[in-house]
Amino acid sequence: MLLAALGFSLMGGAAKLLKGGFNAGQLVFFRNLVGAVGLTTAFIAKPPVNKGGKFHWLLFRGIMGTVALYTLLYCVLHLPLSTAMTYNLTSAIFIALFSFLLFKEYHGVAVLLAVLIGFAGMLLVYKPNMHYPWYYHAVGLLSGIVSAIAYITLGKLAPYYDSRVIVSSFIFCGVLIPSLFMIIGQLGHIANDDFFFIRWKWPHGIEWFYILWLGVAALFGQYFVTKAYGTDKAGVISVFGYANIIFSVFIGLALGDAFPNVISWAGICCIIVSGIIISLVKRKSPDL
């Protein structure tokens, strides 16, 4: 999960560098196109072995993952990177809620406390503000909800499919859905927007490097988040996703963001404490 957080943080940095040249739908397409090439190569080198039988869940995972990526990249392009990641990381709260309501997964007061501490730390680091149109924030909240649904399905699919196949459901949906909307927009003469209806655009110059960075970092993160959620319960493993904040702070510094202040460092400490609590709880309760 720590490796996954690093990959997604790097993806966010690449998307921010592409701001102004590409919209959310175009970035979804290119991000997944790079991933599709990588996965196809991996399948040729080592064909997957699957038990199968849950194709409907596999398709559902792909669609939910694609919608989550649309909403995340939309927020990254229109909100500060810190605020966008804040909304996406609310997925941990929704994972805990959905895991309890749908699957009766309850990990005790200590884990609940760790989730709350981690969320409080996230707010201290990012300090989201409301000086933006309400619909940006609505899309951000949707990002957290849909991401939670997508993550929960990973644990349900792990016994039936190779990790790469689960990732491919998301990757190939992420290529097909933007392509479909691109064709519909062209044939129906529908005006461009920042989300679904897009026009084809070739990257130029350094943009090729950023596109490659975007796709490789995302594939890296997606592979390891799939491995993480496939080997533990979603409500527990999600807490380690808060490491995304720590990585994002340093990536932000590299991209020219201001050095975190005392409040931000207090938030980082809260996140580390939440991880320690989870680690201790898992040691005492191996069945988790």
Side-chain angles (χ1 to χ4, degrees):
M1 195 61 185
L2 293 176
L3 291 172
L6 175 60
F8 291 136
S9 298
L10 290 169
M11 182 195 75
K16 206 68 177 176
L17 289 170
L18 289 163
K19 180 181 179 181
F22 294 84
N23 60 35
Q26 291 166 333
L27 290 182
V28 168
F29 176 81
F30 280 112
R31 175 256 193 247
N32 288 298
L33 183 63
V34 173
V37 173
L39 276 176
T40 301
T41 303
F43 286 148
I44 293 173
K46 183 181 179 183
V49 177
N50 304 300
K51 180 179 177 182
K54 300 291 180 179
F55 179 76
H56 58 294
W57 277 108
L58 199 63
L59 180 61
F60 179 73
R61 156 64 186 150
I63 294 173
M64 289 297 100
T66 300
V67 174
L69 182 61
Y70 265 103
T71 53
L72 172 60
L73 290 178
Y74 182 85
C75 290
V76 168
L77 293 178
H78 294 280
L79 292 171
L81 182 59
S82 59
T83 305
M85 290 300 182
T86 297
Y87 280 124
N88 188 250
L89 287 174
T90 60
S91 60
I93 303 299
F94 294 110
I95 285 173
L97 177 62
F98 296 154
S99 294
F100 175 72
L101 294 178
L102 301 178
F103 307 109
K104 306 305 178 183
E105 293 182 7
Y106 177 68
H107 309 294
V109 175
V111 171
L112 176 61
L113 178 63
V115 171
L116 294 176
I117 291 175
F119 186 68
M122 179 177 63
L123 295 179
L124 288 172
V125 171
Y126 281 151
K127 302 176 289 297
N129 60 72
M130 298 297 291
H131 302 300
Y132 294 91
W134 67 268
Y135 48 86
Y136 289 171
H137 296 280
V139 173
L141 186 60
L142 180 62
S143 170
I145 294 172
V146 180
S147 293
I149 296 172
Y151 287 152
I152 288 174
T153 61
L154 295 181
K156 309 306 174 184
L157 287 168
Y160 301 95
Y161 294 98
D162 185 296
S163 297
R164 296 170 300 162
V165 172
I166 300 174
V167 172
S168 71
S169 70
F170 168 46
I171 294 293
F172 289 110
C173 278
V175 172
L176 292 174
I177 291 175
S179 298
L180 180 61
F181 276 101
M182 193 185 306
I183 293 171
I184 293 173
Q186 290 286 347
L187 296 179
H189 303 289
I190 300 174
N192 295 353
D193 60 30
D194 285 341
F195 213 77
F196 286 117
F197 296 103
I198 60 177
R199 293 290 184 267
W200 176 259
K201 178 183 178 181
W202 287 103
H204 297 285
I206 192 64
E207 289 176 342
W208 282 105
F209 173 73
Y210 295 150
I211 288 290
L212 184 62
W213 171 358
L214 178 80
V216 171
L219 182 60
F220 181 88
Q222 195 63 47
Y223 175 78
F224 282 105
V225 81
T226 300
K227 296 290 286 185
Y229 278 88
T231 56
D232 211 328
K233 293 182 179 180
V236 174
I237 204 68
S238 63
V239 176
F240 292 93
Y242 288 127
N244 195 336
I245 298 174
I246 300 175
F247 294 132
S248 295
V249 167
F250 291 104
I251 291 171
L253 287 174
L255 295 177
D257 289 349
F259 189 78
N261 56 26
V262 174
I263 296 177
S264 295
W265 283 117
I268 291 174
C269 290
C270 286
I271 296 163
I272 294 173
V273 168
S274 73
I276 293 174
I277 292 174
I278 291 298
S279 178
L280 292 175
V281 169
K282 290 187 69 179
R283 237 179 237 181
K284 293 179 181 178
S285 307
D287 59 319
L288 287 179

